[in-house]
Amino acid sequence: MISNPLRDPRDRRLPRVPEPCALVVFGITGDLARKKLLPAVYDLANRGLLPTNFALLGFARRDWGDEDFAELARDAARKAARTPWREEVWERLAASVRFVQGSFDDDNAFDELAATLGDLEGSHGIGGNAAFYLSIPPAMFPVVLKQMQRTGMADSTPDRWRRVVVEKPFGTDLASSRTLNELVDSVFTAEDVFRIDHYLGKETVQNLMALRFANTLFEPVWNGHHVDSVQITMAEDVGIGGRAQFYEQTGAARDVLQNHLLQLLALTAMEEPVEFSAEEIRTEKLKVLRAVSLPEDLGTFAVRGQYEQGWLAGQRATGYRQEEGVDPHSRTETYAAVRLGVETRRWAGVPFYLRTGKRLPRRVTEIALVFKRAPHLPFADTDTEELGSNQLVIRVQPDEGMTLKFGSKVPGSVMEVRDVAMDFLYGEQFTEASPEAYERLLLDVLLGDATLFPRNHEVEASWAVIDPLEEFWAGTTPQPYRAGEWGPRAADEMLAAEGRRWRRP
């Protein structure tokens, strides 16, 4: 076969566009589909990144026709689209929108879905390629997967691919995650399963690898010889919203710590991959996750909390137990913090402090490397009273960028050294706005690029860290903190026990 010299994959002027295909979304009427997936599909189409032969299929219980569904999809896309709205782009998409009504245990509905997919091969030239997005509660995964197996929709062949996208949480513990992984991998081949962690689709997270491996400036100090500690924070200022049923069964550790924060830890602590490919990156991340160690004194170094009534941004915020649908005596945590170790030569002895919580003062996700103090300062003590530790902070959201904090002399006639900061902001440096995480991840699924998707071994290694924590916390009551505070007092005491303190984002 003769390759086209005008389509060299290394040419960055050429956008990566998938083959003709369909995207099938189960649970198309849910919040995730309306707020993230449908706008992402429109934005990809608007940027010219979807194939000409593309179809969107929705599956849900609602009794709608194709036109009703197209109208809902249009409203959702227009409301949350990142790129400017162009009616002609949507009209092209709307011509390829289909809806199938039914419940997940309805054989006839799945037979109709399979038939609709088959019809689109002829009418829209999708070539039999399809990605299935399970935007549904994890408890429904087995039913849907077995229906897809029964109808043959999950079967890839030499002339067509079939892929599945699975949303977190991947199980509720190690045993259930293994059961779910075995089921998914038995219906689809392991290479066709995309476990989505939307944090890995964020530009700043991907920039972490560029920062480390494309520069000689940072990597020499990216180790325990120079780094005193690492703090990874994911703070949310909102409460649980309408997710009481999900949150009561899950809690902060299972919802965020097990996936988002451990993935950020793995990317921060991993060694340089042999090449920038999905397999090599996963290999290095897995080594880190398997090297994670829990502290012996979990009573001091593993803290969970639950928000009480307080004030946030000038508004009174209700306590977690007063939220609609929450047990008045609930022991579910809305805050979790833990000190972890990474038992490798690079990171031995360096504590990794992870924390996540709801109803905290502001929404922010960041990775902060706190460097060791200089072993000797030739200045008088009074000259450096306001000098702290050097810090490199990677801000994942909302103000994507980086901050480097270091000491500098204050202008004047005396030697006074205090902290200053150098900032890099994506929004100021680059003219093109960063794509939404779901844009990048949906495109990667359709292209078959698994670089940003955890495999089952990573998921199971993460649960091996979280399960002992959940076992230790079982039967205990979370420590209270007021809405608008940075978590319970015990979280501050956890760092103070080792002479450290949390960084204020």
Side-chain angles (χ1 to χ4, degrees), residues 15-18 43-51 439 443 446:
R16 298 186 305 165
V17 178
D43 288 330
L44 287 172
N46 204 14
R47 292 165 61 202
L49 297 178
L50 288 182
E439 274 179 70
L443 180 61
L446 300 181

Side-chain angles (χ1 to χ4, degrees), residues 140-175:
M140 302 308 299
F141 288 175
V143 180
V144 172
L145 287 166
K146 285 172 181 172
Q147 286 279 26
M148 293 172 70
Q149 188 176 40
R150 180 186 66 78
T151 54
M153 281 192 289
D155 300 339
S156 292
T157 64
D159 58 348
R160 78 174 195 192
W161 51 257
R162 294 291 165 97
R163 298 171 187 144
V164 65
V165 185
V166 185
E167 273 281 347
K168 73 165 186 75
F170 313 111
T172 55
D173 54 21
L174 180 57

Side-chain angles (χ1 to χ4, degrees), residues 446-469:
L446 300 181
L447 288 165
D449 183 345
T451 305
L452 300 178
F453 297 83
R455 280 282 191 253
N456 54 1
H457 294 305
E458 290 178 63
V459 174
E460 291 172 12
S462 297
W463 279 119
V465 175
I466 299 301
D467 279 1
L469 280 177

Side-chain angles (χ1 to χ4, degrees), residues 197 199-220 222 263-286 288 346 367 369 392-396 401-402 424 426 440-441 444 449-454 458:
D197 183 338
Y199 261 61
L200 301 186
K202 293 184 180 293
E203 285 289 331
T204 327
V205 174
Q206 297 165 56
N207 190 44
L208 183 55
M209 287 187 277
L211 176 77
R212 292 186 56 190
F213 306 131
N215 300 291
T216 57
L217 181 62
F218 302 108
E219 193 65 10
W222 205 277
Q263 282 290 322
L264 293 183
L265 179 150
L267 288 167
T268 304
M270 66 186 267
E271 296 296 324
E272 182 178 348
V274 174
E275 62 180 10
F276 196 75
S277 68
E279 198 57 44
E280 296 302 334
I281 291 170
R282 279 199 297 267
T283 296
E284 298 304 333
K285 283 163 57 185
L286 186 58
V288 173
R346 180 186 290 266
I367 303 162
L369 275 74
L392 178 63
V393 182
I394 296 102
R395 291 187 306 278
V396 177
M402 275 174 46
F424 152 62
Y426 261 86
R440 170 65 192 270
L441 295 172
D444 281 358
D449 183 345
T451 305
L452 300 178
F453 297 83
E458 290 178 63

